[in-house]
Amino acid sequence: MRPDERHQPAPRQDVSYWCRNDHRVDIRIAADVEPPALWDCPRCGLPAGRDAQNPPGRVRAEPYKSHLAYVKERRTAEEGEALLAEALAALRRRRGE
Ligand SMILES: [Zn+2]
C-alpha cells in the first residue's frame, strides 16, 4: 500500500437512529456496509432504530391492559369456564371427593 492511499478516506454514509427516549444517534459507517437495523443508544442503552416515528420498544398508545385482559383476548369466556371447571374437578379428585 502506498502511503498516500492510506490517507484516502473511504466513502462513508451517515446513519441516524432514534431510541424511544427521543435520543438521536448519528453514526458514520462505510458506504458499502448495510446499516444495522438496531443500534444501542449511547445515552440510555436502549436499542435505537432507524425510524424516528417508530423507535423499537416504544410503548404503543394503546390503553393499558391487564394481564387478565390479554388472557381474555386469547380465550373466550366459555373456554375460561371450561378450564376452571376442569381445574376444580382435578382438585376435587386429588382431594378424594
Ligand atoms: Zn436513548
Side-chain angles (χ1 to χ4, degrees):
M1 187 190 272
R2 294 203 311 264
D4 57 21
E5 267 178 351
R6 251 187 315 164
H7 297 289
Q8 200 68 255
R12 301 275 162 171
Q13 59 176 327
D14 292 308
V15 188
S16 297
Y17 294 87
W18 288 264
C19 79
R20 71 178 194 210
N21 290 327
D22 290 324
H23 298 143
R24 181 179 163 160
V25 189
D26 293 313
I27 63 165
R28 177 165 282 197
I29 57 173
D32 58 352
V33 169
E34 180 71 23
L38 293 177
W39 195 267
D40 283 343
C41 172
R43 289 173 67 183
C44 66
L46 290 172
R50 301 194 58 201
D51 183 353
Q53 303 308 313
N54 189 24
R58 171 168 282 181
V59 179
R60 296 280 170 182
E62 281 175 25
Y64 171 79
K65 267 193 245 172
S66 68
H67 176 71
L68 185 61
Y70 280 109
V71 171
K72 280 181 175 169
E73 240 175 42
R74 289 197 302 266
R75 296 186 203 282
T76 65
E78 295 87 79
E79 281 173 339
E81 298 272 315
L83 282 174
L84 186 63
E86 217 171 84
L88 283 174
L91 192 66
R92 292 202 180 100
R93 276 199 301 276
R94 278 206 297 279
R95 284 181 182 164
E97 286 176 22

